[in-house]
Amino acid sequence: MTSPSTTAAPGAVDPASPTWTIAEVAEEFGVTHRTVRHYEDLGLISPERRGTTRVYHRRDRTRLGLILRGKRLGFPLEEIRTIIDLYDAPRGRRSQLEYVLAQIDERREDLEQRRRDLEAALSELTEFERRCRSDLERMA
Amino acid sequence: MTSPSTTAAPGAVDPASPTWTIAEVAEEFGVTHRTVRHYEDLGLISPERRGTTRVYHRRDRTRLGLILRGKRLGFPLEEIRTIIDLYDAPRGRRSQLEYVLAQIDERREDLEQRRRDLEAALSELTEFERRCRSDLERMA
DNA sequence: CACGTTCTTGACGTTGACGTCAACGTAAAG
DNA sequence: CTTTACGTTGACGTCAACGTCAAGAACGTG
């Protein structure tokens, strides 16, 4: 159901690496094809074109996974784009590498703020549950 | 600057508990008064009215804090409302308490999924930084 | 080769979360 | 007593993130 397309056709470019159609990746990640196309419009993924048809490689699936995780974490798509582009950014020159390292630091700050918020929310929830359970006990 | 209004006027209802104006709470939480009013429109906060003017109590500030944390965690406002309402929900009857406990469990599931996503993102980022630093070393 | 399935590109609609006026009330200050 | 600062209610605008048609093109199958 989520197995790659049988791309053994004459026009196959690299038979070693599997490819997927838009319907397959959408199905697999639980989104609509419209969503996948929207991410492409925003430049978050750029599948190969065989003629006019989109052909998705492992790289695209990886990026789609990162996008959806970013969404679950509440990041806007524009920000997600800069984040995953970071992973593919050129790091040839020292200046580029240092820029990337600086970006990484910003990202970490943000993620750790979120973690603090998350921990706080979870511990408040746990404390609230404790109170509820003690209430329940007193009622029995 | 964020100190409560001096509500020692003749019309003071309870001089023991401090109150704030909309400008004060907005300032304090770093949002606009429009945002605060929007949250009221959606029923996330319901400040007292003295005449036509809104008067904010500690309870409202607490809720506003929860709202903004929920936003930082990427929850939609409607969902945030059900969450913070949960904390104020009546728990008099056993059935109500059990409902609340069930809701708590759903919440926890959600938050823990987010935590997993967050941990994954952070460890990938750390691994990526390690690779970058090793690249940098080889260039020196 | 007709046919249904899957793909494509627009283009407009919708929902959430506010921003941004306009037009007006009110209360302390000069 | 007018000014000025802050408050109020609409109502419309905007931006992100898609949903939802419409109208074709391409492709395997009977």
Side-chain angles (χ1 to χ4, degrees), chain A residues 118 122, chain B residues 75 107-115:
Chain A
L118 197 52
L122 268 167
Chain B
F75 289 98
R107 287 291 100 220
R108 195 204 307 288
E109 296 287 324
D110 192 341
L111 290 174
E112 277 171 356
Q113 172 61 46
R114 270 159 206 267
R115 175 152 66 182

Side-chain angles (χ1 to χ4, degrees), chain B residues 31 100 110:
Chain B
V31 297
V100 167
D110 192 341

Side-chain angles (χ1 to χ4, degrees), chain B residues 99-133:
Chain B
Y99 172 76
V100 167
L101 281 165
Q103 291 291 306
I104 290 176
D105 245 53
E106 277 189 37
R107 287 291 100 220
R108 195 204 307 288
E109 296 287 324
D110 192 341
L111 290 174
E112 277 171 356
Q113 172 61 46
R114 270 159 206 267
R115 175 152 66 182
R116 283 190 294 275
D117 284 329
L118 196 53
E119 300 297 349
L122 269 167
S123 68
E124 280 174 25
L125 196 66
T126 299
E127 167 59 16
F128 183 55
E129 182 182 17
R130 211 189 49 70
R131 289 213 314 268
C132 286
R133 290 208 183 281

Side-chain angles (χ1 to χ4, degrees), chain A residues 21 23 37 49 54:
Chain A
T21 71
R37 272 188 44 215
R49 291 298 181 113
R54 278 168 256 250

Side-chain angles (χ1 to χ4, degrees), chain A residues 7-56:
Chain A
T7 312
V13 177
D14 182 4
S17 65
T19 63
W20 291 262
T21 71
I22 191 169
E24 286 164 352
V25 295
E27 233 279 40
E28 178 174 359
F29 286 91
V31 297
T32 70
H33 77 284
R34 178 65 180 86
T35 298
V36 177
R37 272 188 44 215
H38 183 57
Y39 295 162
E40 184 178 348
D41 288 345
L42 298 187
L44 283 92
I45 42 184
S46 30
E48 185 199 339
R49 291 298 181 113
R50 218 160 279 180
T52 152
T53 302
R54 278 168 256 250
V55 176
Y56 295 84

Side-chain angles (χ1 to χ4, degrees), chain A residues 80-93:
Chain A
I80 293 177
R81 188 167 58 80
T82 73
I83 299 173
I84 64 184
D85 279 353
L86 196 63
Y87 283 98
D88 289 343
R91 310 197 293 280
R93 284 198 299 280

Side-chain angles (χ1 to χ4, degrees), chain B residues 21-23 37 49 52 54:
Chain B
T21 71
I22 192 170
R37 272 187 45 213
R49 294 296 182 116
T52 153
R54 279 169 255 253

